[in-house]
Amino acid sequence: MPIGIGPDHDALADSLARFAAREAPVERTRAQFEEFARGDRPAFWEQLVGMGIPSLHLAEEYDGAGAGLLELAVALEQSGHGLVPGPLLPTVTASAVIQSHGTDTARKALLPRLAGGATGAVAFETGTVTLDGDGDEVVATGETVPVLGAPGAEILVLAGRCGERSVWFAVSASDVGVEVVAEEGVDLTRDIGRVRLSDTRIPAENVLGADADEVAAIVAVLQCAEAVGVARWAQETSLAYAKIREQFGRPIGSFQAIKHKCAQLFIRLEVLTSSVWDAALAADSGDREQLALAAARTATVVRREAVDVVLDALTLLGGIGNTWEHDIHLYWRRVVSLLALGGSPDEWARRAGELASTTERESVLGVPDRPDFRAGVAATIAEAVALDEAAARVLLADRGLVAPHYPEPYGLGADTAAQLIIAEEFDRAGITQPSTVIGEWALPSILQYGTEEQMERLVVPTLRGEIVWCQLFSEPGAGSDLASLTTFATKVDGGWRIDGNKVWNSKAYEAHWGICLARTDRDAPKHRGIGFFLVDMSAPGVEVRPLREANGDSMFNEVTLDGVFVPDADLVGLPGEGWKVARTTLANERVAMGNTPVAGGYRFDPVEVARSLDPDTRYDALPALGRITSTTGALDALAHRSVLKRLSGLNPGVEASALKAASAHHITDVTAQVLEWFGPEAAVGSLGADVSGGGRAAKAYLATPKLLIGGGTLEIQLNVISEQILGLPRESR
């Protein structure tokens, strides 16, 4: 999904998409490479200015629209998607830097010009430019690094060395001592060049009050927004090709390898998009520390990955993708140019690591305020805090706060906003909102398909913590393919006899009840003829055997059902509709606040681990810390986008699917990295229940297989995404 969320962002993106298709088709751009390299303005520039796109983010007092960098990011994403040529990105980057860090005099003099159609450019680094003088003016001499948009720019934001620090300043291309030398660019749709300064006088009002990191943050957010648009076009183009290109008599998109690659591209793009969205929000917050952290993270996550996404999309196109005639190479060139111009990826990662050590990203979901409701929730939680654990659980359950999304009398029928308010109040009180764990899968099915007697007997005790559930779905011969189960339910007087084996059942050793799928009709198609049974785990014939895992724990179990009698009263729904019951979730699902877990049952904060290292090791660890915390931040943002879509009444399914697939591998990367930080200490002491230090890191890493397998392997998830979200055909047999 695009960066923007909601109808206003959709309208902005759609307007630019139609404009690009009409005024800047790629075939027309191809015919004007030489003109663009000289810095000539495209013929549509005045129309784009008339639409207010270059001034979208500028304050109204400077003739802008008064929107923020988030709206500008939406526009730049679409500009990248349409490969809009010319000076839009360098111009809005220049005006954004001046608006954020310029003097009042500079803003009043320069921003209305840029809003009115003047073009601009920003140098990311100082090059050989030096500055002398102070007070009323400084004098600049030297040559810049290559600057995107410089040959056609009227207003240049450049940098020079003044002693030990970098200083940014604004000059006009027509000022005395300013010379721009055009270069041949990798991006054939825009101009690039170096600026030579010869004793160029810069008045004090044109010296910007920003350091290198502050300018870099703005540049990074805007460049990454455009890079995401480029990557999105490549992903969509390769996906469309996979649907129509045939090999061996069928579309290549039906081959599992191609389906998985398309799904991975989609997942990677969702992560990139969320990172840019989060950085744009930080830019609009006005908090420079938050912007610095979020920008460093998005530069770390997006810049190189966007290049790789386009390259992988190109390879999906096969040989045709590597020809001059196919447009994808022009998109690839653009994003490669952005990578080269945006600073060292390693330095961005180090910067992200440094900031992660001192700053936490503050995420504001914008939950609608319901003061009376919030006050009532807070009062109930305060009552619970004063009680012992068991009594508190009963109180919270009876007041509807254990599963507030359930209908009354079991919950509050809480919508997304209400659930978020409740979560915030639990967090404010410093206690964890109770969970029924596997009950969160069992109870929705009972509430929708169960009898009144089943609800009365099982729902309230579960919410109160008196009943623990397990899930008896997977079998030794039917893992992710649940419908291939061979556990059978045979009708007997007063109920059913169940025989079979179930495996990978968490909580089975302590569960009171299990939800069990068993085949009631051996001759029915595999998704039919299945019953959904409630199994008393203390019933005769139920045998639970713990399965010891690679990390030494026994979270999972194997359950043998040998002639287990289940009364008719414990069948949920009709005998043949168990598959439908099993797939049930309430229409109003539980909403999580959306923070990415770090290490399963052995959670630890990689920032805290890095802080505990000796100074030399910690310094060397900063780039790795930056990379993993940047990805964590992107996944958190992806989860937050899902929540916001719920708040807006939109379907969050795309983000949820991508998050599930991306999180497991990321957690594996985090645990592996922490393992490396502990060095030799991680080679000892991983089997005990109270391990610490390196042994705990090893135990966390050894616990990762269940994250990669549980709830369906990654391969199954990729199949689901490729077929149900991306629309690729099933593999024919």
Side-chain angles (χ1 to χ4, degrees):
M1 300 296 290
I3 292 172
I5 297 177
D8 290 343
H9 289 164
D10 290 344
L12 173 60
D14 180 65
S15 175
L16 267 171
R18 288 186 283 107
F19 176 86
R22 183 179 67 251
E23 302 296 336
V26 177
E27 60 269 22
R28 188 181 303 168
T29 298
R30 282 176 174 269
Q32 297 177 294
F33 286 158
E34 292 185 5
E35 290 93 328
F36 293 141
R38 291 195 303 264
D40 294 355
R41 292 185 185 181
F44 59 74
W45 182 249
E46 294 304 322
Q47 291 177 258
L48 199 63
V49 172
M51 292 171 61
I53 301 303
S55 58
L56 190 65
H57 57 299
L58 297 180
E60 293 181 8
E61 63 183 298
Y62 306 125
D63 299 337
L69 254 63
L70 177 57
E71 286 72 25
L72 183 57
V74 170
L76 288 174
E77 179 190 28
Q78 195 58 54
S79 173
H81 188 280
L83 201 71
V84 174
L88 180 60
L89 175 64
T91 296
V92 297
T93 304
S95 60
V97 171
I98 293 171
Q99 177 166 256
S100 180
H101 299 292
T103 64
D104 287 341
T105 301
R107 292 187 189 120
K108 291 175 182 178
L110 300 177
L111 294 181
R113 289 178 58 193
L114 291 164
T119 53
V122 177
F124 188 79
E125 299 175 6
T126 60
T128 64
V129 176
T130 58
L131 299 175
D132 292 313
D134 51 29
D136 292 337
E137 66 178 20
V138 294
V139 176
T141 301
E143 184 174 280
T144 68
V145 297
V147 178
L148 186 67
E154 297 172 58
I155 298 171
L156 298 161
V157 177
L158 307 176
R161 298 296 299 176
C162 186
E164 296 299 318
R165 63 191 181 96
S166 299
V167 175
W168 264 259
F169 56 92
V171 297
S172 292
S174 58
D175 284 352
V176 175
V178 177
E179 178 188 7
V180 181
V181 180
E183 301 268 14
E184 180 184 282
V186 171
D187 181 356
L188 302 178
T189 69
R190 295 194 285 222
D191 55 312
I192 190 170
R194 304 176 194 270
V195 182
R196 294 173 181 167
L197 302 171
S198 302
D199 294 330
T200 304
R201 299 185 179 278
I202 315 296
E205 60 266 22
N206 281 3
V207 175
L208 308 186
D211 63 23
D213 291 334
E214 291 174 334
V215 173
I218 294 174
V219 173
V221 174
L222 301 184
Q223 284 187 349
C224 288
E226 188 182 70
V228 163
V230 172
R232 188 175 305 285
W233 181 91
Q235 180 263 333
E236 292 172 354
T237 299
S238 62
L239 175 63
Y241 184 78
K243 293 179 180 179
I244 62 171
R245 172 66 166 142
E246 292 193 355
Q247 287 283 297
F248 307 105
R250 52 196 172 111
I252 63 172
S254 66
F255 303 146
Q256 189 174 73
I258 301 297
K259 286 160 68 164
H260 285 189
K261 190 167 185 176
C262 289
Q264 290 281 21
L265 285 175
F266 166 79
I267 293 165
R268 291 158 67 188
L269 186 58
E270 287 298 306
V271 174
L272 304 188
T273 301
S274 299
S275 181
V276 174
W277 171 80
D278 183 60
L281 284 179
D284 287 337
S285 72
D287 187 321
R288 293 189 176 182
E289 285 188 354
Q290 290 292 299
L291 171 57
L293 175 63
R297 286 180 170 180
T298 203
T300 300
V301 168
V302 173
R303 294 177 57 254
R304 175 58 189 271
E305 181 72 349
V307 175
D308 291 343
V309 165
V310 179
L311 177 58
D312 286 346
L314 185 153
T315 61
L316 268 175
L317 297 172
I320 190 66
N322 196 36
T323 63
W324 190 265
E325 287 74 19
H326 200 288
D327 292 339
I328 196 168
H329 85 282
L330 298 176
Y331 284 83
W332 192 30
R333 282 174 167 272
R334 175 168 288 195
V335 78
V336 166
S337 176
L338 292 176
L339 175 63
L341 291 168
S344 164
D346 286 343
E347 286 306 311
W348 274 117
R350 180 176 297 281
R351 173 70 173 153
E354 290 172 343
L355 290 167
S357 301
T358 59
T359 308
E360 290 188 10
R361 180 74 181 98
E362 299 171 0
S363 298
V364 179
L365 290 173
V367 180
D369 194 20
R370 300 177 183 176
D372 292 341
F373 178 77
R374 186 182 290 275
V377 170
T380 295
I381 294 174
E383 285 185 57
V385 169
L387 302 174
D388 63 59
E389 184 176 350
R393 176 65 180 258
V394 170
L395 174 68
L396 294 171
D398 292 349
R399 299 281 181 88
L401 294 185
V402 171
H405 54 302
Y406 287 1
E408 294 180 344
Y410 308 110
L412 303 175
D415 60 13
T416 299
Q419 291 181 62
L420 293 176
I421 289 171
I422 292 167
E424 287 179 349
E425 290 306 313
F426 272 104
D427 186 61
R428 197 188 313 275
I431 63 173
T432 301
Q433 184 176 3
S435 168
T436 59
V437 194
I438 305 300
E440 293 189 11
W441 281 266
L443 296 190
S445 296
I446 295 172
L447 288 171
Q448 183 157 342
Y449 292 100
T451 64
E452 290 294 329
E453 186 275 335
Q454 289 170 342
M455 295 181 202
E456 291 177 7
R457 175 162 49 100
L458 298 169
V459 175
V460 170
T462 300
L463 294 173
R464 289 179 170 182
E466 298 162 2
I467 292 178
V468 175
W469 289 84
C470 68
Q471 183 171 274
L472 305 175
F473 284 8
S474 295
E475 298 185 1
S480 297
D481 186 11
L482 290 178
S484 295
L485 55 88
T486 58
T487 295
F488 293 106
T490 305
K491 190 70 180 75
V492 296
D493 289 342
W496 300 79
R497 172 192 170 113
I498 299 183
D499 295 276
N501 287 334
K502 299 291 184 177
V503 75
W504 308 124
N505 318 114
S506 59
K507 295 285 185 180
Y509 60 90
E510 61 177 317
H512 305 97
W513 287 88
I515 50 175
C516 177
L517 291 181
R519 191 164 294 285
T520 56
D521 184 347
R522 300 178 187 232
D523 298 323
K526 72 176 188 177
H527 285 90
R528 300 178 184 176
I530 294 173
F532 188 101
F533 297 92
L534 307 177
V535 175
D536 182 348
M537 296 299 288
S538 65
V542 176
E543 180 184 350
V544 179
R545 183 174 70 87
L547 295 174
R548 198 174 190 196
E549 302 163 41
N551 71 343
D553 287 352
S554 298
M555 174 181 175
F556 296 108
N557 306 266
E558 182 178 15
V559 177
T560 299
L561 304 167
D562 184 7
V564 177
F565 176 73
V566 176
D568 286 327
D570 290 334
L571 172 67
V572 179
L574 298 176
E577 63 179 18
W579 186 254
K580 178 176 69 174
V581 176
R583 297 186 63 177
T584 296
T585 55
L586 290 181
N588 191 5
E589 297 178 21
R590 183 168 189 158
V591 177
M593 289 296 285
N595 289 322
T596 306
V598 177
Y602 302 94
R603 292 180 184 174
F604 48 77
D605 184 350
V607 174
E608 290 300 324
V609 175
R611 285 174 181 160
S612 70
L613 302 174
D614 66 78
D616 290 341
T617 305
R618 182 168 62 249
Y619 180 81
D620 292 340
L622 285 176
L625 178 65
R627 292 186 185 95
I628 60 178
T629 55
S630 294
T631 302
T632 299
L635 295 177
D636 287 347
L638 181 56
H640 292 155
R641 282 165 62 84
S642 179
V643 172
L644 285 173
K645 285 197 169 186
R646 289 184 185 275
L647 284 170
S648 302
L650 302 173
N651 182 5
V654 170
E655 288 83 2
S657 298
L659 181 64
K660 179 176 175 61
S663 293
H665 270 306
H666 174 58
I667 295 170
T668 303
D669 290 341
V670 173
T671 56
Q673 182 59 68
V674 172
L675 190 73
E676 291 182 25
W677 286 341
F678 277 100
E681 295 301 321
V684 296
S686 67
L687 290 178
D690 298 318
V691 293
S692 60
R696 180 165 167 252
K699 189 156 190 165
Y701 180 71
L702 293 169
T704 54
K706 61 190 175 189
L707 301 172
L708 301 173
I709 299 170
T713 64
L714 178 62
E715 289 73 22
I716 295 297
Q717 294 176 44
L718 295 178
N719 281 347
V720 170
I721 290 172
S722 62
E723 293 171 6
Q724 298 185 13
I725 295 178
L726 302 182
L728 289 170
R730 291 180 177 272
E731 189 166 9
S732 58
R733 299 182 185 274

